[in-house]
Amino acid sequence: MGCADQIQMLILLFLTVAAAAPLVQGHGTWVGFYSNSCPKAEYVVQSTVQTHFQTNPTVAPGLLRMHFHDCFVRGCDASILIDGPSTEKTGPPNLLLRGYEVLDDAKKRLEDACPGVVSCADILALAARDAVVLTGGKSWQVPTGRRDGRVSLASETSNLPAFFDSIDVQKQKFAEKGLNTQDLVALVGGHTIGTSACRSFSGRLYNFNSTGKADPSIDPTFLPQLRSLCPQNGDDGSRRVALDTGSADKFDTSYFINLKKGRGVLESDQALWTDASTKTFVKQFLGVRGLQALSFNVEFGKSMVKMSNVEVKTGTDGEIRRACSRIN
């Protein structure tokens, strides 16, 4: 082989590797993992989510929250889906999650088509992406190849980011998962869809930090609206209130606009605007003049890929569950 031929072959090899590089995400997962073993896997998940969404739109934020809660406990291994008296599903932060039936349905369809191939962890990661798209968000490529965990403990859900966490505590919890401050702001921005129970924020409406007064960061014109929805001596606190007032069903930047106006519902959400370290990213997502603008949709997808690769099980670690609600 002549020198020119060798150079041409090396260039071809380089181009081939370069073209494939964007598909490989590391951590043992990559985009198109099931392209040969179960080619219709992503379509099955997408069509299943869409079918359920059409009759019950609340499954969209439910699936997104579920993926987040799964990844922050033992990594993205679908341990949140396991039934049992003391599993993650029964932990206090997870009691109001919804969408389990969507994942069970998708798993059944995939087991019929490709038995023992597609993990529940991957189904959940794909379903979270599809839920965002159905509510108007931008799609992203989801690396797959995760395997399912065999351990699920309710006691470990206490490590999940909480609605009362300060920004410093939130940043610490995210950093422990390899996620930075921008990831934090982007991922919490997922609250642009969905609701929260009154019990999660009623304290800041009436007796913030035991002061007997409301949280001063709440817009005074917004406070009466929240109090009417969540009366001090009302029900058991289970009433649901939109986290993104006026746009709870659409994945957009309205959530950040509300933070700027002092209309964040959760204490931990409003803190994104009052804390200087996170406020900058909120401004960038809003395109505030003088700062480099960031596309929320684009950055959210990037942060979701990072989060979905947290402590994943791949190769021979874990298993491929036959049913998402129980280990094999």
Side-chain angles (χ1 to χ4, degrees):
M1 181 183 293
C3 182
D5 291 334
Q6 289 179 324
I7 293 174
Q8 186 175 7
M9 181 172 289
L10 286 172
I11 291 174
L12 180 61
L13 178 61
F14 172 81
L15 291 174
T16 300
V17 172
L23 300 181
V24 179
Q25 303 293 342
H27 304 279
T29 63
W30 63 85
V31 174
F33 182 87
Y34 299 110
S35 58
N36 293 320
S37 58
C38 192
K40 292 186 178 181
E42 294 199 22
Y43 169 76
V44 169
V45 175
Q46 186 274 332
S47 61
T48 304
V49 174
Q50 184 172 22
T51 297
H52 284 265
F53 176 80
Q54 288 171 344
T55 57
N56 180 14
T58 66
V59 300
L63 291 168
L64 182 57
R65 306 279 191 278
M66 194 183 299
H67 183 43
F68 182 93
H69 285 212
D70 181 48
C71 291
F72 266 76
V73 179
R74 291 187 172 268
C76 310
D77 67 349
S79 52
I80 197 171
L81 306 181
I82 298 174
D83 285 339
S86 301
T87 59
E88 288 175 37
K89 188 182 288 190
T90 68
N94 296 332
L95 291 177
L96 297 178
L97 288 179
R98 61 189 70 190
Y100 294 106
E101 71 281 2
V102 182
L103 304 170
D104 290 339
D105 191 6
K107 179 60 174 176
K108 182 180 184 304
R109 293 177 61 187
L110 286 168
E111 284 298 300
D112 289 342
C114 316
V117 173
V118 183
S119 70
C120 298
D122 278 343
I123 293 172
L124 180 51
L126 292 166
R129 185 270 312 274
D130 297 335
V132 168
V133 173
L134 285 168
T135 52
K138 184 180 177 66
S139 185
W140 65 89
Q141 290 187 311
V142 177
T144 44
R146 300 167 192 77
R147 288 169 66 84
D148 301 322
R150 297 189 179 98
V151 178
S152 182
L153 301 172
S155 59
E156 295 183 343
T157 62
S158 60
N159 296 323
L160 282 164
F163 59 84
F164 50 78
D165 283 345
S166 68
I167 292 298
D168 285 342
V169 171
Q170 290 186 65
K171 287 196 293 187
Q172 179 183 349
K173 289 181 177 180
F174 275 70
E176 288 171 354
K177 302 301 179 183
L179 302 168
N180 59 32
T181 303
Q182 180 177 317
D183 295 320
L184 186 162
V185 178
L187 292 170
V188 175
H191 285 171
T192 182
I193 55 173
T195 61
S196 178
C198 286
R199 68 168 68 96
S200 298
F201 61 89
S202 59
R204 66 189 297 249
L205 307 183
Y206 301 100
N207 190 25
F208 181 64
N209 288 344
S210 302
T211 61
K213 299 178 181 179
D215 183 344
S217 68
I218 302 175
D219 172 11
T221 65
F222 185 48
L223 183 59
Q225 180 179 337
L226 290 178
R227 283 179 168 174
S228 68
L229 293 169
C230 304
Q232 188 169 18
N233 298 312
D235 57 16
D236 61 357
S238 61
R239 182 171 184 174
R240 308 294 298 183
V241 175
L243 287 169
D244 184 6
T245 303
S247 184
D249 300 322
K250 186 171 177 58
F251 197 92
D252 55 21
T253 57
S254 172
Y255 167 80
F256 295 113
I257 294 172
N258 277 325
L259 297 187
K260 184 179 179 181
K261 293 178 178 178
R263 291 178 167 238
V265 173
L266 299 180
E267 180 181 345
S268 55
D269 284 359
Q270 190 58 49
L272 295 177
W273 180 257
T274 57
D275 188 282
S277 66
T278 49
K279 185 176 184 177
T280 298
F281 293 108
V282 175
K283 287 183 172 181
Q284 287 180 284
F285 287 140
L286 289 174
V288 172
R289 186 176 300 176
L291 294 172
Q292 181 181 356
L294 291 172
S295 168
F296 171 52
N297 264 296
V298 172
E299 299 305 322
F300 182 82
K302 291 179 181 177
S303 293
M304 283 292 285
V305 170
K306 285 180 66 176
M307 184 190 74
S308 71
N309 271 320
V310 167
E311 301 167 13
V312 294
K313 295 170 177 61
T314 58
T316 58
D317 195 10
E319 64 182 15
I320 305 297
R321 284 184 219 140
R322 290 186 287 272
C324 291
S325 60
R326 60 180 184 274
I327 61 175
N328 293 339

